[in-house]
């Protein structure tokens, strides 16, 4: 897997994302990013739509970051991406699928 640094403006949150984050959660994620940096990249498809990492993207926007680290999973079919996203199992499953 290769990490790409993408412009925040180029990323599109998935409109059907089942997981929501409160303002407090976004602030905590932002504080973590400030303290430790991005330790978990945002997972995107070929079109720049977020598969996993909506909270990290919102925190990056809160911090006025220009770019964020992303992993592009080009090999997943759209149905598989949505199924993974809707189950909310996060990056661990995506990582296993990408190996």
């Amino acid at each position: 897997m290769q990490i790409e640094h993408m412009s925040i403006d180029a990323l599109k949150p998935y409109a059907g994302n089942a997981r929501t984050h409160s303002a407090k959660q976004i602030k905590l994620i932002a504080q973590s990013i400030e303290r430790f940096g991005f330790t978990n990249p945002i997972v995107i498809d070929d079109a720049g739509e977020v598969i996993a990492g909506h909270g990290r993207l919102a925190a990056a926007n809160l911090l006025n970051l220009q770019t964020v680290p992303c992993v592009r999973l080009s090999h997943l079919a759209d149905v598989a991406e949505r199924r993974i996203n809707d189950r909310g199992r996060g990056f661990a499953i995506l990582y296993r699928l990408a190996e």
Side-chain angles (χ1 to χ4, degrees), residues 51-66:
I51 298 169
H54 291 83
R56 294 185 297 276
L57 180 58
N61 275 309
L62 183 67
L63 294 170
N64 295 315
L65 299 181
Q66 300 299 307

Side-chain angles (χ1 to χ4, degrees), residues 6 13 22 31-32 40 44 51-52 57 67 83 86 88 91-92 94:
M6 301 282 298
S22 68
Q31 289 172 346
S32 175
N40 193 2
I44 60 172
I51 298 169
L57 180 58
T67 62
R83 195 170 296 139
D86 290 343
F91 191 73
L94 293 171

Side-chain angles (χ1 to χ4, degrees), residues 1-56:
M1 260 188 282
Q2 184 175 353
I3 295 178
E4 302 175 49
H5 290 271
M6 301 282 298
S7 167
I8 286 181
D9 296 333
L11 302 178
K12 297 171 255 157
Y14 172 50
N17 183 30
R19 186 169 187 188
T20 60
H21 296 82
S22 68
K24 182 178 180 180
Q25 288 173 319
I26 299 300
K27 187 174 180 181
L28 289 171
I29 295 168
Q31 289 172 346
S32 175
I33 292 169
E34 283 183 310
R35 183 167 181 194
F36 304 110
F38 258 90
T39 59
N40 193 2
I42 296 170
V43 181
I44 60 172
D45 66 12
D46 280 335
E49 188 170 55
V50 176
I51 298 169
H54 291 83
R56 294 185 297 276

